[in-house]
Amino acid sequence: MLQNMSRRLVVLNLAPVFRASQIRPYSDKNTKSVKFQPAPKKLKIYTKTGDKGTSSLFTGERRSKNDQVFEALGATDELSSNIGLAIGYAEEKNHPYVSQLQRIQCILQDIGSCVATPYSSARESHLQKVGFSGRHTEELEEWIDQYTDELPQLTNFILPGGGIISSQIHVCRAVCRRAERRISPLVAESECDPETLKYVNRLSDFLFTIARFAAKLEGRGETIYTRPDTRGGSDYSTTADGVWKKKK
């Protein structure tokens, strides 16, 4: 009895620290013992390693946080975050391109990996873990062509707008252009795969296209750019659905 009670106390004391992983029978096949192993240590979200203004690349190299690599990573992260907001809006209206935007977010993570592995400090073991396929860009072009077939022909410059969803996608497009500007010098200096730059360039075209498509789904008209007339007149007027058209 005392032996059994002692065994229970040991189990109770270890319960917060250890977890059962396997149950094996004794030789008498009547009683069972529990094998314990240490519980995994929880990782903290903060490391404090960047408190002095530097951060680490995938290669292990540390650079200042205002380095152009981190500028490119930051712009790419902002782009993905804005796409996430667009997804949230589009899901509420069951727009059909949501899964494509989610795929784009995953591909942007891969671009971030390429950016964070500059060739100048990367070893072959690093480069084997990153890389970017030109097939991703071809996929975007296919999507652009598909959605373009559903839209009226573009004959004028249009202004960002067309409802909340379309406007948010236009924000994504603008941030995408900034990400492209940040990645461009890295590619020019042979520090990053040029396929990443091609993809981001084509991505802004895709975002422009589905911004127009979102406005169409919402029944919103496109606002056409008109040069302000300082003489007080204009050659354009709005129709009942909000579309700017040239006066006859």
Side-chain angles (χ1 to χ4, degrees):
M1 175 66 74
L2 290 176
Q3 185 177 5
N4 289 337
M5 184 175 295
S6 175
R7 183 180 300 163
R8 290 174 184 170
L9 288 174
V10 170
V11 172
L12 288 174
N13 289 335
L14 292 177
V17 182
F18 294 87
R19 65 181 181 180
S21 61
Q22 185 178 1
I23 298 178
R24 297 185 303 179
Y26 280 119
S27 58
D28 61 9
K29 300 182 180 181
N30 293 323
T31 59
K32 293 183 178 181
S33 66
V34 179
K35 181 181 179 181
F36 292 99
Q37 66 181 21
K41 184 178 180 181
K42 291 185 178 180
L43 296 177
K44 293 184 177 180
I45 190 63
Y46 55 87
T47 63
K48 302 182 181 181
T49 57
D51 289 352
K52 294 183 178 180
T54 64
S55 191
S56 180
L57 303 176
F58 284 178
T59 60
E61 178 189 2
R62 295 195 71 82
R63 294 190 185 186
S64 171
K65 289 188 176 183
N66 61 6
D67 187 89
Q68 61 183 4
V69 168
F70 294 116
E71 288 287 347
L73 287 173
T76 304
D77 186 27
E78 286 183 59
L79 173 57
S80 183
S81 298
N82 274 284
I83 289 176
L85 182 57
I87 289 172
Y89 288 141
E91 282 179 328
E92 293 179 354
K93 297 299 183 70
N94 295 316
H95 282 196
Y97 50 80
V98 167
S99 61
Q100 291 167 323
L101 290 179
Q102 291 170 334
R103 174 167 170 77
I104 288 168
Q105 284 184 304
C106 293
I107 293 173
L108 288 175
Q109 288 292 114
D110 292 339
I111 289 178
S113 297
C114 292
V115 170
T117 313
Y119 292 156
S120 61
S121 61
R123 297 191 298 271
E124 185 61 31
S125 58
H126 297 134
L127 296 177
Q128 289 177 354
K129 297 177 181 179
V130 299
F132 200 78
S133 172
R135 178 70 187 101
H136 296 318
T137 304
E138 295 174 1
E139 181 180 56
L140 279 180
E141 291 170 350
E142 293 169 3
W143 293 349
I144 292 171
D145 292 341
Q146 291 170 5
Y147 285 112
T148 298
D149 290 340
E150 302 293 326
L151 295 168
Q153 185 176 359
L154 191 64
T155 57
N156 300 93
F157 288 111
I158 63 171
L159 302 179
I164 294 296
I165 302 176
S166 177
S167 297
Q168 175 57 31
I169 297 174
H170 275 295
V171 172
C172 295
R173 174 187 57 78
V175 176
C176 184
R177 286 299 190 191
R178 176 152 51 85
E180 181 184 4
R181 293 193 298 272
R182 298 295 185 268
I183 295 173
S184 180
L186 298 176
V187 172
E189 295 172 7
S190 299
E191 287 280 50
C192 187
D193 190 335
E195 288 295 336
T196 60
L197 187 62
K198 291 181 184 178
Y199 183 85
V200 177
N201 181 32
R202 205 72 77 252
L203 178 55
S204 62
D205 295 328
F206 173 73
L207 293 170
F208 176 78
T209 302
I210 63 167
R212 295 186 65 211
F213 185 71
K216 178 184 177 182
L217 292 179
E218 296 294 293
R220 302 296 188 99
E222 296 177 330
T223 303
I224 297 174
Y225 161 77
T226 61
R227 184 175 180 178
D229 192 336
T230 57
R231 295 170 295 180
S234 176
D235 292 333
Y236 289 82
S237 61
T238 56
T239 61
D241 59 358
V243 179
W244 283 80
K245 292 187 177 180
K246 194 169 185 177
K247 294 178 180 177
K248 295 182 180 179

